[in-house]
């Protein structure tokens, strides 16, 4: 028989319930296109407006959630990223892949990223810098759009049709540069080119002056779980991109026991 709730246990139980609601609200926000509008958060969470305001206010005060100054919506905040980075620092994939990233940097001379999916974006969980004086300004914990990045397109291209359909529903397809794909038709065409070519290319679609090459890392079940990319300043770009950039990714990852996407077939 359950013990009756006393005056001492009641506040603790209410506090635990509020804590769980806050965690679930963060999970809901992570799945929405960001910045997320209040009405979309309420619809997705099912919380009463007063409860939602109270929880968002508490999360915002601790920097787990922030307001977008331009659009007024809600974004996951820097404190959540900090905690995520602490977790990623101990992530098995990050540790397993780090030597491969170093090997890719040695083979290409350029900056290498390891990224994992979160909603409609990819998050960098590791980075090995180029030794050149001109480097990428990216950081671990930084997010990039799937549709405009090599890590994102490599990941999307490795998905099966059903999973791809679910992911594309979450994509904003907003232009980052003049060369970013901004329609579903153009994205599917780009992903078909990735599969045919064997690797993804971001040709200044995410950052002007930077060209990136990426491949997805697949798990034991063959499904993609992360992506690796090489980022090259355009003025240093080699002509033979397959030999210079894409092939070292495949070779180093597979030497580390991290199979990449099996293209072309």
């Amino acid at each position: 028989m359950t013990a009756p709730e006393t005056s001492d246990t009641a506040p603790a139980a209410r506090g635990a319930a509020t804590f769980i609601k806050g965690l679930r609200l963060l999970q809901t926000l992570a799945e929405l296109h960001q910045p997320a509008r209040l009405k979309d958060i309420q619809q997705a969470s099912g919380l009463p407006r007063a409860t939602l305001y109270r929880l968002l206010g508490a999360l915002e005060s601790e920097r787990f959630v922030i307001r977008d100054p331009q659009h007024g919506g809600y974004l996951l905040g820097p404190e959540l990223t900090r905690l995520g980075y602490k977790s990623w620092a101990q992530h098995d994939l990050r540790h397993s892949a780090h030597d491969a990233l170093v090997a890719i940097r040695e083979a290409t001379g350029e900056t290498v990223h390891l990224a994992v999916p979160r909603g409609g974006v990819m998050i960098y969980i590791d980075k090995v810098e180029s030794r050149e004086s001109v480097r990428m300004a990216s950081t671990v914990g930084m997010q990039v759009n799937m549709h405009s990045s090599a890590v994102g397109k490599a990941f999307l291209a490795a998905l099966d049709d059903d999973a791809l359909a679910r992911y594309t529903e979450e994509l904003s397809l907003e232009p980052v540069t003049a060369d970013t794909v901004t329609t579903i038709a153009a994205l599917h065409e780009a992903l078909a080119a990735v599969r045919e070519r064997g690797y993804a290319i971001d040709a200044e679609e995410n950052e002007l002056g930077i060209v990136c090459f990426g491949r997805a890392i697949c798990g034991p079940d063959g499904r993609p779980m992360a992506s690796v990319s090489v980022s090259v300043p355009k003025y240093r770009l080699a002509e033979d991109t397959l030999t210079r950039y894409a092939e070292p990714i495949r070779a180093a990852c597979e030497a580390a026991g991290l199979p990449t996407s099996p293209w072309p077939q």
Side-chain angles (χ1 to χ4, degrees):
M1 179 179 295
T2 303
E5 188 178 84
T6 67
S7 59
D8 291 332
T9 60
R14 288 195 295 270
T18 300
F19 175 71
I20 291 171
K21 287 179 181 177
L23 290 178
R24 288 176 176 167
L25 181 57
L26 288 173
Q27 292 171 332
T28 298
L29 185 58
E31 296 299 323
L32 292 172
H33 170 58
Q34 296 181 36
R37 298 177 300 176
L38 186 65
K39 69 175 185 179
D40 293 331
I41 301 173
Q42 185 177 14
Q43 183 178 6
S45 67
L47 292 170
R49 181 176 287 267
T51 302
L52 182 59
Y53 270 121
R54 186 172 68 252
L55 289 173
L56 286 172
L59 292 170
E60 190 175 2
S61 69
E62 297 298 324
R63 304 284 288 168
F64 286 105
V65 166
I66 60 174
R67 299 275 190 98
D68 183 276
Q70 183 175 358
H71 300 96
Y74 288 88
L75 300 161
L76 295 177
E79 182 62 17
L80 201 61
T81 300
R82 186 186 70 82
L83 292 177
Y85 175 69
K86 295 282 189 181
S87 173
W88 292 330
Q90 303 172 33
H91 199 286
D92 286 344
L93 174 61
R94 183 177 185 272
H95 285 297
S96 299
H98 186 74
D99 287 347
L101 302 193
V102 173
I104 296 166
R105 192 273 309 276
E106 295 304 307
T108 64
E110 302 295 348
T111 298
V112 184
H113 294 99
L114 174 67
V116 293
R118 191 198 73 190
V121 300
M122 301 292 288
I123 305 292
Y124 292 143
I125 63 170
D126 201 2
K127 175 185 179 182
V128 176
E129 289 272 17
S130 167
R131 292 197 177 96
E132 300 287 344
S133 57
V134 177
R135 302 175 180 177
M136 291 283 292
S138 57
T139 59
V140 171
M142 178 178 175
Q143 67 180 41
V144 291
N145 293 317
M146 284 191 173
H147 69 287
S148 62
S149 63
V151 285
K153 286 189 288 184
F155 177 82
L156 290 172
L159 294 169
D160 61 36
D161 291 343
D162 289 341
L164 178 58
R166 290 194 296 271
Y167 269 95
T168 52
E169 288 179 358
E170 299 294 325
L171 301 182
S172 66
L173 297 182
E174 294 177 354
V176 183
T177 73
D179 295 315
T180 308
V181 297
T182 56
T183 67
I184 290 294
L187 178 61
H188 280 292
E189 185 177 344
L191 298 182
V194 173
R195 299 185 190 103
E196 182 177 357
R197 185 191 308 116
Y199 56 96
I201 299 176
D202 153 20
E204 298 185 88
E205 297 161 59
N206 198 66
E207 183 177 348
L208 292 177
I210 301 295
V211 180
C212 303
F213 304 88
R215 294 184 73 113
I217 294 176
C218 299
D221 59 1
R223 293 185 293 185
M225 59 182 182
S227 293
V228 177
S229 70
V230 175
S231 300
V232 189
K234 188 177 180 181
Y235 76 91
R236 280 205 304 259
L237 192 64
E239 290 186 7
D240 186 357
T241 58
L242 173 61
T243 301
R244 183 66 184 274
Y245 309 116
E247 184 57 25
I249 296 176
R250 184 201 62 76
C253 286
E254 293 189 0
L258 300 168
T260 60
S261 41
W263 310 312
Q265 295 179 346

